[in-house]
């Protein structure tokens, strides 16, 4: 899906809702600067939530290869942007993903696509981290998976406590990563 061209059903209704939101905020949606804002915001929201229409498991299985490699595979520093489901404000950062193959590998870019699909939904960072891990685990059946997500949250920086330099880190792991030594190897390779 090219998010700049293809939009989902309900776009006009979503734009009408944003028109009303502008009114409720005390703005005049008919003034020059805001005339096209409701549709722009509706399109932006559909783009930011396009992950609902994508299948992360299929992305991995479309590039599944038999391979006897049984050491850690790491894709680190995967940039992502998501929307906090509590305030509809962005959070963004980097995801680091590792898995130990068990007879099958997937295309490296597919790991980044999994992050992209789950981050393009209304989210909390904890669930995002778990969904990435679960998808890789359930699809590739590796000997282990570990995901670390580091993010800045606009809901903490723009409102509420207004802490500008805070970073939230979450992790999820399974299988071989249940061993502290394996987790530490992953963290060392990340340079953490």
């Amino acid at each position: 899906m090219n998010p700049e061209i293809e939009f989902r059903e309900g776009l006009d209704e979503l734009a009408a809702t944003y028109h009303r939101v502008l009114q409720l905020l005390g703005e005049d949606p008919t003034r020059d600067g805001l005339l096209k804002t409701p549709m722009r915001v509706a399109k932006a929201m559909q783009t930011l939530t396009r992950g609902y229409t994508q299948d992360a498991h299929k992305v991995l299985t479309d590039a599944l290869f038999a391979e006897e490699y049984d050491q850690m595979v790491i894709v680190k520093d995967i940039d992502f942007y998501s929307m906090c489901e509590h305030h509809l404000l962005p959070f963004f950062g980097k995801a680091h993903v590792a898995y130990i193959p068990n007879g099958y590998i997937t295309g490296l870019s597919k790991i980044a696509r999994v992050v992209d699909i789950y981050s393009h939904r209304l989210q909390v960072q904890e669930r995002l981290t778990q969904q990435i891990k679960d998808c890789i685990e359930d699809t590739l059946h590796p000997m282990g998976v570990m995901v670390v997500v580091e993010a800045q949250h606009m809901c903490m920086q723009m409102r509420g406590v207004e802490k500008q330099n805070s970073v939230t880190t979450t992790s999820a792991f399974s299988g071989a990563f249940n061993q502290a030594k394996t987790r530490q190897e992953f963290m060392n390779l990340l340079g953490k």
Side-chain angles (χ1 to χ4, degrees), residues 51-86:
Y52 289 119
T53 64
Q54 299 170 328
D55 184 345
H57 296 278
K58 184 173 182 338
V59 165
L60 291 177
T61 58
D62 283 352
L64 195 61
F65 310 101
E67 188 65 49
E68 292 307 313
Y69 186 78
D70 64 357
Q71 300 299 309
M72 200 178 301
V73 175
I74 300 174
V75 182
K76 68 179 189 173
D77 295 330
I78 303 167
D79 291 322
F80 75 89
Y81 297 87
S82 193
M83 295 288 285
C84 164
E85 69 181 33
H86 299 145

Side-chain angles (χ1 to χ4, degrees), residues 24-192:
L24 291 170
L25 292 173
E27 267 293 354
D28 175 8
T30 63
R31 73 174 172 85
D32 279 347
L34 293 177
L35 274 176
K36 295 183 180 179
T37 296
M39 184 55 76
R40 282 193 293 260
V41 175
K43 288 179 177 179
M45 289 304 289
Q46 281 202 356
T47 298
L48 294 170
T49 60
R50 69 181 179 260
Y52 289 119
T53 64
Q54 299 170 328
D55 184 345
H57 296 278
K58 184 173 182 338
V59 165
L60 291 177
T61 58
D62 283 352
L64 195 61
F65 310 101
E67 188 65 49
E68 292 307 313
Y69 186 78
D70 64 357
Q71 300 299 309
M72 200 178 301
V73 175
I74 300 174
V75 182
K76 68 179 189 173
D77 295 330
I78 303 167
D79 291 322
F80 75 89
Y81 297 87
S82 193
M83 295 288 285
C84 164
E85 69 181 33
H86 299 145
H87 301 99
L88 295 186
L89 289 171
F91 68 95
F92 60 92
K94 295 189 181 295
H96 315 287
V97 179
Y99 74 100
I100 301 173
N102 189 16
Y104 290 93
I105 61 171
T106 190
L108 297 175
S109 68
K110 305 310 178 191
I111 301 294
R113 293 259 302 129
V114 167
V115 172
D116 188 55
I117 288 169
Y118 287 116
S119 66
H120 280 81
R121 298 176 182 187
L122 299 180
Q123 278 290 10
V124 295
Q125 183 174 333
E126 297 86 344
R127 183 185 324 116
L128 172 63
T129 306
Q130 190 70 38
Q131 286 176 327
I132 295 165
K133 186 218 41 107
D134 289 347
C135 179
I136 293 167
E137 186 172 40
D138 296 344
T139 308
L140 300 181
H141 307 289
M143 289 186 269
V145 180
M146 185 162 177
V147 177
V148 173
V149 174
E150 302 169 303
Q152 295 182 26
H153 293 253
M154 291 298 100
C155 57
M156 283 185 62
Q157 293 181 359
M158 294 175 66
R159 54 157 304 282
V161 296
E162 296 183 4
K163 298 303 175 205
Q164 302 309 307
N165 298 308
S166 63
V167 175
T168 301
T169 303
T170 51
S171 67
F173 53 87
S174 66
F177 290 96
N178 284 315
Q179 298 174 27
K181 181 180 175 185
T182 309
R183 285 195 309 277
Q184 189 57 52
E185 178 185 349
F186 174 54
M187 297 307 285
N188 289 344
L189 290 168
L190 288 182
K192 304 289 179 193

